Amino acid sequence: MLYKGLQLDRFQEKAIAAINQDISVIVTAPTGAGKTVIAEYAVEKCLKEDRRVIYTAPIKALSNQKYRDFYAEYGEKIGIVTGDVVLNPHAQVLLMTTEIFRNAIFDDVDRLQDVSYVIFDEIHYINDIERGTVWEESLIFAPQHIKFVCLSATIPNMTPFTQWMRSVRDIDIETIEELKRPVPLEHYLYFKDYGVGSVGHASAIRKRAQHDTRKRKSDPFEDRTPPALPSDFVETSLIPYLRQEKQLPCLYFCFSRRGCEENAMSLVFGSQLQLLDKTQETQILNQFDELCRQFDIVEERKITEFRKLISRGVAYHHAGMLPTLKEVIERLFTSGLIQLLFTTETFAVGINMPACSVVFDSLKKFDGLGFRHLKTREYHQMSGRAGRRGIDTIGYVYAQIMPLYAELNEVRSIVSNNIEPIESQFNLSYSSILNLYEKYGDDIYDVYTMSLSNHQNRMRTSQLNKHINDNTKNLQKLPKPECIHDGVHGSKQIEKHYRQKRKHEKKLRVFHTELAQIKSQTRGKKRKKERANRLQAVQKEIKHFQASRQQSLCDKCQRLSTCTGRYKTIRKEEVRLQKLKHKRTTIENDPRRQIAARLKVLEELGYIEAQSVLPRGNTAAHIYGYEVQLTQLLFDGFFERLSEDEINCLMVAIVTEPRKDGYFKPLRDEHLLEKLHTVCSEISFIQRLEVKHKVTEITPMLEFRLCTAMLAWSRGCDFDNLERYAHLDAGDFVRTFRLVIDQLRQIRRAMTGHTTLVDKLNRCISKINRDVVNAERQLRIGQENLDGATVENPDEVSEQSASVSLGSSDDAEAGSETSISS
């Protein structure tokens, strides 16, 4: 089958056949195999049949990229709604993040009636600890007439995952697995300071490294014959090797921003590396200069430094960079002129930018708590970027390890093909619970039975039941202690014996502790007599205790050893059985307990009552993220009493995550600090309720570190001056400020009808949403021929509620003004 001039692979044809039958489809295929073609066909089919389609992506950058791609082909039929941007929200094809789609389901499900297909790109994100529940909730609660196209690189447990989807969706689902990569990969290890080899070379290289280390520490001139290296091992430096073997361009994954920058700088400014010829250098500099002018970042700091890197064919890319500069780098990379890009793992998600080779700077990463090895799924997700279809015949993957310190078993596991199965992360937020409680009341617990979590837990419970039954049978078969004394139960007697023995040993430990304390307290010659008297008294007590110990039938019994062995074996199996039963109970009850715990918190806060959702609950149900603390503040009148700048300061304190490092200028406004501490008291009250009812995830406290920076930005300071108030990467400032805007827009939608407050929130948003923070401005600049698009002002449309993009716009309608603090 030909589609858009391409000869389709068999798996693509099968997926398209399923879409032509108007059924759902789950497609797993390696990165670069051509899954996107299936999504494009679904979009084109819906357009031809005048039906609506939603394309969801896990990250905003991917949503933006897909919007540009589709807009270039279909023009005004394409729209986008994310937390940052709203363009043409009534379009026939709508790009959005998965959170927006989930929120649309809860806000007003009727507005999804004309949607035929929803495309879930990167469906394996259902495994994401923080956000996976959003995918799961979307699949469970979406209207049953909607079909899904689910795309993923890998779902190892495809069969049970599909079984679950079929249990919650009415329309049939076709599953398609493609295991063959269009461009096969070759995996290697780069042993730092030694060269390129395989896992099989690890032991030999480690011996050589140990030899070299010993030689450096002893006499460097001592004549020692080093262990021989394997004959097929390549002694080389990695980057020159990639260049020599024509394996550029390369994506070089580093798991720190600083690592990305330092690697790039050291190569260009330290070794004078040049990866481009004169013609290519001229081309890339012309493109870079034009893009910098287009995005208005010519005067930004680091541009001169970046221009030097770019001229050598080297660049870096990470989340701390200005979004506009990141986009410039992405566009240059797609041109094929950047030969070496040092980047964090975010570049591996969704964005279609393959390279000839991929390098891992390490197989360990910091995950916010500590350093851990990569998961096999993460390794394959990133390594899948190697090999460009139609350009490369083979893709190359290199993982750098330290020969002396690498944990080789972990390395073997990571680079293997044993990818971890998808695990449910179902965890209903307060807003989700409120939306579901309004619909189901106390039957909300039945909702959990529809989750992938419950499906997987049933399988786990089934396996545990089998283990419990097997262990119970084995326990019953074990030989039991048999007492030689008439009328005495062997098992009970030996248990009594050991119970008395443990009690006796515990008392003796107390005596010995007392003896040690006496010796410590009576050091020196002057207290020698006191020490002797006190020690003698305790030792007398010990003798008396020993003499008074009641003798057991088991003492000095000839069968004591046999009975003891049997008793310990039985106890070991009983403990194992108890652990299995406890694990089963936990699996069966914990998710329901968490729903119940959150319901109790909501009830005590006055959000629900007698299976009804009260006004506070209705407000919180329309705010996704920080919903409880924001609702409490809204109903206590905080937003009416604070100025616009103070509201922005409060909001950044709510959304900022705590960090221990980095300078920030403390907030000095005593009047504002007093108000913020009052907010802290309100949050403390919520936290006490959560602890009382044993909620696992506690509502976070305010974080003040960016308050001064936000106050300055809200009052009009230049972006370059923000570093006076906090040592933070430019991209982090932008991302945090955009998150504040997102939350303010959610509050604004929840407060529709409260005219004065809505007007104030609009002013709050306007004070933040300017210059590089304005995401819509960036998308407009980046979109060629955008003048033909229908553009909505994002400050007049609620991005976080996709309902406005799926029906009539009703945000901030004029209505009777009511004080929400009343």
Side-chain angles (χ1 to χ4, degrees):
M1 175 181 176
L2 282 174
Y3 177 67
K4 293 186 176 180
L6 298 173
Q7 181 64 48
L8 298 186
D9 293 334
R10 179 62 182 153
F11 84 94
Q12 294 168 323
E13 292 180 351
K14 287 178 65 178
I16 286 173
I19 293 170
N20 286 335
Q21 295 171 37
D22 261 356
I23 61 175
S24 294
V25 62
I26 305 174
V27 181
T28 65
T31 302
K35 296 184 294 295
T36 304
V37 170
I38 298 164
E40 290 172 352
Y41 183 86
V43 168
E44 185 177 283
K45 184 173 186 290
C46 288
L47 283 170
K48 288 179 179 178
E49 296 173 357
D50 199 27
R51 295 189 290 175
R52 300 194 76 192
V53 59
I54 292 173
Y55 192 118
T56 78
I59 58 173
K60 293 170 185 175
L62 183 54
S63 295
N64 293 344
Q65 184 191 52
K66 298 309 298 182
Y67 168 74
R68 293 192 191 99
D69 293 344
F70 283 129
Y71 185 81
E73 188 167 358
Y74 301 114
E76 293 183 17
K77 293 181 179 180
I78 310 299
I80 182 171
V81 179
T82 69
D84 296 335
V85 176
V86 173
L87 297 176
N88 198 12
H90 310 293
Q92 194 175 346
V93 179
L94 207 55
L95 283 297
M96 58 174 62
T97 55
T98 314
E99 279 84 354
I100 300 291
F101 176 66
R102 188 277 311 271
N103 300 347
I105 294 170
F106 285 149
D107 279 344
D108 190 350
V109 73
D110 291 338
R111 294 185 177 180
L112 294 167
Q113 289 307 314
D114 62 345
V115 174
S116 177
Y117 266 98
V118 172
I119 298 163
F120 271 171
D121 206 350
E122 311 281 357
I123 186 64
H124 56 265
Y125 254 77
I126 204 168
N127 193 73
D128 185 80
I129 292 175
E130 294 183 355
R131 301 172 61 208
T133 187
V134 175
W135 275 257
E136 199 163 333
E137 291 170 39
S138 299
L139 290 168
I140 294 170
F141 303 117
Q144 287 294 340
H145 73 275
I146 290 178
K147 284 84 66 178
F148 285 92
V149 175
C150 301
L151 308 175
S152 175
T154 50
I155 304 180
N157 48 338
M158 180 72 145
T159 300
F161 179 76
T162 306
Q163 288 172 347
W164 167 72
M165 267 197 70
R166 285 177 176 147
S167 73
V168 296
R169 305 302 304 170
D170 289 347
I171 295 172
D172 193 20
I173 301 169
E174 177 80 13
T175 60
I176 298 163
E177 286 188 273
E178 174 61 41
L179 301 177
K180 184 180 178 181
R181 281 184 56 90
V183 181
L185 297 183
E186 290 184 1
H187 296 262
Y188 298 95
L189 295 181
Y190 175 66
F191 298 88
K192 186 170 172 56
D193 299 327
Y194 288 89
V196 174
S198 66
V199 174
H201 294 133
S203 296
I205 305 304
R206 173 168 287 178
K207 288 178 182 177
R208 177 63 173 267
Q210 289 170 339
H211 165 271
D212 293 345
T213 302
R214 285 194 300 269
K215 185 174 181 180
R216 284 193 298 271
K217 288 182 177 179
S218 57
D219 182 1
F221 301 103
E222 185 179 347
D223 185 20
R224 289 185 183 179
T225 303
L229 293 174
S231 58
D232 57 341
F233 183 77
V234 183
E235 295 184 73
T236 182
S237 296
L238 185 55
I239 302 304
Y241 177 77
L242 296 179
R243 188 180 186 186
Q244 173 190 317
E245 297 297 314
K246 299 187 179 349
Q247 293 176 12
L248 298 175
C250 168
L251 282 176
Y252 197 117
F253 286 108
C254 304
F255 297 113
S256 77
R257 299 174 184 181
R258 181 178 295 180
C260 290
E261 296 186 14
E262 290 179 350
N263 277 325
M265 297 296 181
S266 63
L267 272 176
V268 170
F269 298 109
S271 65
Q272 299 297 309
L273 179 74
Q274 173 57 274
L275 299 177
L276 302 176
D277 59 31
K278 287 296 182 183
T279 302
Q280 291 171 324
E281 181 181 347
T282 302
Q283 287 177 335
I284 198 169
L285 287 176
N286 288 341
Q287 289 186 32
F288 180 73
D289 293 341
E290 176 56 34
L291 286 167
C292 286
R293 284 192 293 270
Q294 185 179 346
F295 284 97
D296 194 23
I297 56 172
V298 175
E299 301 300 324
E300 291 292 335
R301 296 175 187 178
K302 293 194 174 182
I303 291 299
T304 302
E305 181 182 90
F306 241 105
R307 198 174 189 277
K308 178 74 170 176
L309 293 175
I310 292 294
S311 70
R312 302 292 181 86
V314 179
Y316 60 83
H317 180 287
H318 60 68
M321 296 164 57
L322 274 177
T324 43
L325 181 54
K326 281 200 301 180
E327 185 163 338
V328 168
I329 300 306
E330 289 163 14
R331 291 185 174 221
L332 289 175
F333 190 79
T334 57
S335 73
L337 291 172
I338 291 181
Q339 298 299 294
L340 182 58
L341 181 64
F342 294 94
T343 180
T344 52
E345 61 192 299
T346 53
F347 204 82
V349 181
I351 300 176
N352 183 28
M353 295 184 187
C356 179
S357 61
V358 160
V359 173
F360 291 85
D361 193 51
S362 170
L363 290 178
K364 281 188 173 182
K365 60 178 281 191
F366 185 77
D367 62 2
L369 298 175
F371 285 92
R372 66 166 176 83
H373 284 94
L374 292 182
K375 295 179 180 177
T376 305
R377 174 186 299 282
E378 293 170 323
Y379 171 81
H380 282 280
Q381 176 76 25
M382 287 180 267
S383 63
R385 294 292 165 201
R388 298 161 297 174
R389 190 170 188 174
I391 300 176
D392 302 314
T393 55
I394 296 174
Y396 302 90
V397 183
Y398 299 86
Q400 177 173 272
I401 66 169
M402 307 287 285
L404 280 176
Y405 309 109
E407 298 171 52
L408 298 183
N409 287 336
E410 288 284 355
V411 172
R412 292 186 186 97
S413 175
I414 293 166
V415 302
S416 73
N417 289 318
N418 298 322
I419 298 172
E420 302 86 358
I422 283 178
E423 294 286 341
S424 170
Q425 306 298 332
F426 193 69
N427 181 25
L428 293 175
S429 64
Y430 285 112
S431 59
S432 294
I433 286 174
L434 286 164
N435 280 288
L436 294 170
Y437 191 75
E438 185 173 31
K439 184 175 181 180
Y440 298 103
D442 286 343
D443 292 333
I444 188 174
Y445 298 103
D446 294 336
V447 171
Y448 172 69
T449 64
M450 296 189 290
S451 67
L452 175 60
S453 172
N454 185 61
H455 183 80
Q456 291 179 332
N457 283 342
R458 283 203 308 269
M459 296 172 64
R460 293 189 184 101
T461 301
S462 177
Q463 292 173 345
L464 283 171
N465 284 335
K466 184 179 183 305
H467 289 316
I468 288 170
N469 290 335
D470 291 344
N471 279 38
T472 302
K473 291 176 182 177
N474 291 337
L475 185 60
Q476 292 169 347
K477 293 176 183 178
L478 290 174
K480 296 175 177 56
E482 296 176 353
C483 192
I484 61 175
H485 301 282
D486 294 338
V488 177
H489 193 288
S491 295
K492 290 183 179 179
Q493 180 59 38
I494 193 71
E495 186 176 344
K496 179 183 177 182
H497 169 75
Y498 273 98
R499 188 166 58 247
Q500 290 176 345
K501 185 179 179 181
R502 285 193 294 270
K503 187 177 179 180
H504 180 76
E505 290 171 347
K506 182 178 179 182
K507 182 65 176 176
L508 283 178
R509 283 197 297 270
V510 172
F511 280 131
H512 287 301
T513 301
E514 190 174 352
L515 289 172
Q517 288 175 343
I518 291 170
K519 291 177 181 178
S520 176
Q521 294 167 359
T522 57
R523 291 195 179 116
K525 291 183 179 180
K526 292 182 179 181
R527 304 189 69 178
K528 184 177 180 181
K529 187 176 181 180
E530 178 191 352
R531 179 167 66 251
N533 290 337
R534 289 175 63 182
L535 289 173
Q536 186 178 14
V538 174
Q539 287 164 350
K540 187 176 180 180
E541 284 186 64
I542 294 174
K543 287 181 180 179
H544 177 73
F545 172 73
Q546 294 277 37
S548 63
R549 177 175 177 261
Q550 185 178 359
Q551 292 295 307
S552 165
L553 288 175
C554 297
D555 287 330
K556 299 181 181 178
C557 176
Q558 62 187 14
R559 290 184 57 84
L560 177 59
S561 176
T562 302
C563 290
T564 296
R566 292 180 177 183
Y567 169 74
K568 289 183 176 180
T569 301
I570 290 171
R571 283 295 299 144
K572 186 177 180 181
E573 288 303 311
E574 286 176 343
V575 169
R576 187 177 298 166
L577 190 59
Q578 287 172 359
K579 288 181 178 178
L580 288 172
K581 289 180 177 179
H582 176 73
K583 187 175 182 180
R584 180 180 63 184
T585 302
T586 300
I587 288 173
E588 289 175 340
N589 297 331
D590 269 14
R592 292 173 180 268
R593 284 177 186 158
Q594 279 307 301
I595 294 174
R598 290 181 182 248
L599 283 172
K600 287 174 183 175
V601 171
L602 292 171
E603 186 175 11
E604 290 204 38
L605 288 172
Y607 287 50
I608 57 175
E609 183 181 69
Q611 298 200 51
S612 298
V613 178
L614 301 176
R616 287 186 186 229
N618 279 320
T619 298
H622 290 88
I623 300 174
Y624 300 94
Y626 316 99
E627 58 268 30
V628 175
Q629 57 266 60
L630 287 174
T631 300
Q632 291 296 98
L633 298 178
L634 284 165
F635 275 78
D636 288 347
F638 273 89
F639 282 77
E640 292 170 319
R641 295 194 297 271
L642 298 177
S643 69
E644 288 87 351
D645 294 332
E646 290 173 334
I647 288 174
N648 290 341
C649 190
L650 166 63
M651 291 302 298
V652 83
I654 288 174
V655 306
T656 301
E657 294 183 358
R659 286 178 56 181
K660 294 180 180 178
D661 60 326
Y663 163 82
F664 66 96
K665 188 173 182 179
L667 189 61
R668 302 295 187 191
D669 187 329
E670 293 297 331
H671 179 64
L672 179 53
L673 277 171
E674 184 179 347
K675 294 177 181 178
L676 292 178
H677 285 304
T678 304
V679 174
C680 289
S681 298
E682 188 71 45
I683 295 176
S684 292
F685 174 66
I686 298 169
Q687 291 178 335
R688 287 195 296 274
L689 288 179
E690 290 172 327
V691 171
K692 172 185 172 183
H693 295 296
K694 299 181 180 178
V695 174
T696 52
E697 294 182 14
I698 304 299
T699 297
M701 187 52 73
L702 296 185
E703 171 57 63
F704 289 78
R705 64 188 300 115
L706 291 184
C707 285
T708 310
M710 171 57 87
L711 212 54
W713 181 252
S714 185
R715 289 171 177 169
C717 87
D718 290 337
F719 189 82
D720 287 343
N721 291 334
L722 285 175
E723 66 178 20
R724 300 178 185 176
Y725 307 101
H727 287 177
L728 205 66
D729 287 339
D732 291 327
F733 276 122
V734 172
R735 186 167 49 258
T736 305
F737 290 175
R738 286 178 178 179
L739 182 55
V740 170
I741 293 168
D742 188 4
Q743 291 297 141
L744 286 169
R745 288 170 177 164
Q746 290 184 59
I747 300 169
R748 183 182 62 188
R749 172 163 178 81
M751 292 294 103
T752 297
H754 301 282
T755 311
T756 302
L757 181 56
V758 167
D759 289 343
K760 179 185 273 191
L761 292 170
N762 283 333
R763 293 193 295 273
C764 290
I765 293 168
S766 296
K767 281 174 167 282
I768 307 173
N769 197 30
R770 59 185 177 85
D771 196 25
V772 294
V773 175
N774 190 330
E776 182 179 309
R777 172 178 173 269
Q778 179 185 340
L779 189 59
R780 283 180 174 181
I781 293 171
Q783 176 63 50
E784 295 178 357
N785 303 318
L786 190 60
D787 293 338
T790 303
V791 177
E792 299 284 341
N793 184 343
D795 297 333
E796 295 176 357
V797 183
S798 172
E799 289 79 19
Q800 194 62 18
S801 173
S803 60
V804 293
S805 56
L806 302 166
S808 60
S809 178
D810 62 356
D811 187 58
E813 283 184 345
S816 58
E817 186 177 338
T818 308
S819 172
I820 62 169
S821 58
S822 60

